[in-house]
Amino acid sequence: MGDEGGKVHWLAPDPRTILDLDTFRASRSLRSICRRRSFTVTLNRAFTDVIKACADRAEGTWITPEIYQAYTGLHQLGYAHSVEAWKEDSLAGGLYGVAIGGAFFGESMFHRVTDASKVALVFLVNRLRERGFALLDVQFMTEHLRQFGAVEIPRVDYERRLQDAVRQPRTFVDQPGFVVLEKAERG
């Protein structure tokens, strides 16, 4: 996390918040939105646009220029990834995070269109499940995450899960470039 002086701080909250991939739950209305395919969802198509949108908050942001540079570097190395939700040809929402082994560390999300970031989160969870990931770390509890079944766990439990997850040989994407996950239906 960056501060106003440009220093980067590493946070290790106790308890830590995770979204359990086995018990993640989306509301009936959100599942319906996903089934209607009203958004096109892609991976890594607009990573820099997603991180910039996540940083563009009226209340301020922890995403300093140094943080931006670090995450874009991680993206170029194949560790940081974005999930984008598009409405027509416009970026409507998305999220980004870092994948190491079987762990995904969700960093931030944004939306410009109602439900766009939620759709991106549903697709992220499905992707992680399909690829055998073991851990989705979201760091801190929020009411937004609580609605999806986020839980807080003690640091000792988190560190055990983390140690197991990062040892698993998993990949978030098979090749460089972007992947279209779902095509919006026109009508």
Side-chain angles (χ1 to χ4, degrees):
M1 175 174 269
D3 68 12
E4 292 176 9
K7 292 182 182 177
V8 176
H9 303 275
W10 191 259
L11 299 178
D14 187 11
R16 190 79 170 210
T17 303
I18 64 167
L19 276 168
D20 188 309
L21 296 171
D22 294 328
T23 60
F24 174 86
R25 63 180 182 268
S27 68
R28 183 177 302 167
S29 61
L30 181 56
R31 289 192 312 266
S32 176
I33 290 166
C34 291
R35 278 192 306 275
R36 281 189 303 227
R37 299 179 180 181
S38 36
F39 294 95
T40 299
V41 180
T42 58
L43 297 176
N44 293 335
R45 180 175 173 189
F47 182 86
T48 57
D49 293 331
V50 169
I51 196 169
K52 286 176 184 175
C54 288
D56 186 21
R57 298 174 191 246
E59 68 274 10
T61 183
W62 61 274
I63 304 171
T64 63
E66 294 82 8
I67 294 288
Y68 173 83
Q69 188 173 37
Y71 280 101
T72 54
L74 287 171
H75 177 65
Q76 292 167 355
L77 293 170
Y79 292 103
H81 304 281
S82 59
V83 179
E84 305 95 7
W86 303 84
K87 192 73 167 176
E88 314 239 339
D89 292 329
S90 296
L91 184 59
L95 58 86
Y96 77 96
V98 174
I100 301 174
F104 191 93
F105 306 88
E107 295 297 334
S108 192
M109 59 193 325
F110 81 99
H111 74 278
R112 295 178 179 144
V113 175
T114 301
D115 296 324
S117 63
K118 293 176 184 177
V119 168
L121 180 60
V122 168
F123 278 94
L124 171 67
V125 168
N126 288 335
R127 179 97 177 162
L128 296 177
R129 287 173 174 164
E130 291 166 2
R131 299 223 157 208
F133 276 68
L135 180 66
L136 175 49
D137 176 349
V138 294
Q139 301 163 17
F140 297 101
M141 180 64 77
T142 65
E143 287 307 310
H144 178 71
L145 293 171
R146 190 181 310 275
Q147 71 181 307
F148 296 104
V151 294
E152 293 179 316
I153 59 175
R155 179 178 291 152
V156 66
D157 293 344
Y158 172 77
E159 289 175 355
R160 179 185 48 76
R161 288 182 187 211
L162 177 62
Q163 199 170 52
D164 292 342
V166 297
R167 289 184 178 142
Q168 298 176 8
R170 302 290 185 265
T171 57
F172 190 71
V173 293
D174 295 324
Q175 58 199 19
F178 74 90
V179 178
V180 175
L181 291 176
E182 207 51 60
K183 189 70 179 165
E185 293 183 17
R186 306 240 182 227

